[in-house]
Amino acid sequence: MVGKNYISRYLEDLIPVAFELETAKEFMAFGIGPAQFKVKLNGQIPKRELMRSTSLALGEAYMRGDLEVNRDLYEVLEMLLGRMDRFRTSPGALHGRKNGSLGMKNQKKEVCSHYDIGNDFYRLWLDETMSYSCGYFKNPEDTLFEAQVSKTDHILQKLQPKMGMTLLDIGCGWGFLLMRAAKRYGVKGVGITLSEEQYRQFSQEIKDQHMEDRIEVRKMDYRELSGSGMKFDRVVSVGMVEHVGRGNYDIFLENVAEVLEPGGLFLLHFISAQKEHGGDPFMRKYIFPGGVIPSLREIMDLLPEYDFYTLDVESLRRHYTRTLLCWRENFSKHREEIETGHGEEFARMWELYLASCAASFHNGVVDLHQILMSKGVNNELPMVRMV
């Protein structure tokens, strides 16, 4: 197990500010000037785990309660994630998780492990739209609900839908985007999802609002689009391509191209990275099994192969930082209820997930991009930017 000398040297190299370290036997101060926070170790962290993966070893220690900090977790991670070049990730830390199985059965299992935790759980900390993706804060005083409505409108304005058009939402979640598109623009929509919980709630919502003649939701893998015979004027995918996996991006784009009418528009909204990498071991193990964040350039590089013409690319990175902090605030308000239903370790894991993601976006470790494209050349679109 790690002795005090090793763990102190490890943390001193990792933490860029003055801090204090407290263990059962020792109290130590590091750095110059007043301590920014204190790390308290209530248990030991095996050296082999730290050598294998910084994020996994420290993340699991935090989940167990073996590691605590006396300052807001987001603020601490904000300091740490600026030095991710010092994080260690051995090849073995991602073994079996780097890409995983790219087949339908395994990917459905991975997706459902996250999204089927329960609608009641997500309802506690998402807003009324049940949007589990980056909001769009047009004004400093906007609430999370207003930002999610603005995000949906922002996407729909880019897609320029018209009465009677058809819209496909790949990874439709709980259905707010399709509902708003049908009500505001008079489009007919189809949403596909692998989540049983999302499918169940969206199906009920369609019935409750008597929209069966305008909206349909299907439990369907994106690979089933090709050969389905369906055709759409517009296609949107929000926060779904991160589950496709490196090695399947071609298949994903091929299926979109198959169902999109010539001249039709496709908007892809996704978490992106500056460079290609295998992912974070903690996230891959506990939050998004099989999930891979694509780089912007690897997606852009593939578009011409499927006759997609890029019309617009926009970064919403800082909007996602604020979205995550809103989610974390809501999560904290319901912390006791979440712990009662799922246990303290689960609650600490999700707290760490939300805080670390917010810090990752703020530090530019990851980004959020929207790419608007047409299938083939479309000379009928307005010559000026719509939004």
Side-chain angles (χ1 to χ4, degrees), residues 169-182:
D169 188 348
I170 303 174
C172 62
W174 288 275
F176 180 75
L177 187 149
L178 276 178
M179 285 287 194
R180 193 157 179 87

Side-chain angles (χ1 to χ4, degrees), residues 266-268 270 296 299-300 303 312 369-373:
F266 171 37
L267 187 138
L268 182 63
F270 66 106
L296 176 63
I299 297 297
M300 295 292 293
L303 300 183
D312 186 77
H369 281 99
Q370 290 184 352
I371 307 175
L372 178 67
M373 62 202 93

Side-chain angles (χ1 to χ4, degrees), residues 8-55:
S8 63
R9 290 196 305 268
Y10 192 96
L11 293 177
E12 186 177 23
D13 180 63
L14 195 65
I15 299 172
V17 297
F19 72 100
E20 297 171 338
L21 175 63
E22 179 183 346
T23 68
K25 298 181 179 179
E26 302 285 344
F27 182 89
M28 294 165 276
F30 300 90
I32 300 173
Q36 299 297 302
F37 60 90
K38 179 172 71 177
V39 178
K40 184 178 180 183
L41 294 180
N42 300 315
Q44 292 183 315
I45 307 173
K47 179 177 179 178
R48 63 181 180 275
E49 292 183 9
L50 285 166
M51 295 297 292
R52 186 177 174 86
S53 169
T54 299
S55 68

Side-chain angles (χ1 to χ4, degrees), residues 84-103:
M84 284 198 73
D85 59 316
R86 296 173 183 253
F87 278 39
R88 300 178 184 179
T89 303
S90 70
L94 283 169
H95 180 68
R97 299 190 184 98
K98 190 170 184 179
N99 288 317
S101 170
L102 298 177

Side-chain angles (χ1 to χ4, degrees), residues 176-241:
F176 180 75
L177 187 149
L178 276 178
M179 285 287 194
R180 193 157 179 87
K183 292 175 181 178
R184 295 198 77 187
Y185 295 96
V187 304
K188 292 189 175 182
V190 174
I192 65 172
T193 179
L194 293 177
S195 166
E196 299 283 344
E197 290 281 299
Q198 292 177 344
Y199 172 80
R200 178 172 58 82
Q201 180 168 313
F202 192 12
S203 297
Q204 188 61 51
E205 188 74 11
I206 292 170
K207 292 178 181 178
D208 291 344
Q209 298 200 30
H210 308 291
M211 298 184 71
E212 295 93 334
D213 60 332
R214 299 164 67 186
I215 298 178
E216 177 187 358
V217 58
R218 299 184 182 187
K219 281 186 290 184
M220 184 177 182
D221 191 282
Y222 70 89
R223 283 161 283 204
E224 297 175 285
L225 292 170
S226 182
S228 68
M230 294 190 292
K231 291 290 182 181
F232 298 91
D233 301 299
R234 301 288 188 263
V235 176
V236 64
S237 183
V238 178
M240 179 271 174
V241 78

Side-chain angles (χ1 to χ4, degrees), residues 251-266:
I251 299 172
F252 174 75
L253 292 170
E254 181 181 7
N255 275 265
V256 174
E258 177 72 21
V259 297
L260 186 59
E261 296 280 8
L265 300 184
F266 171 37

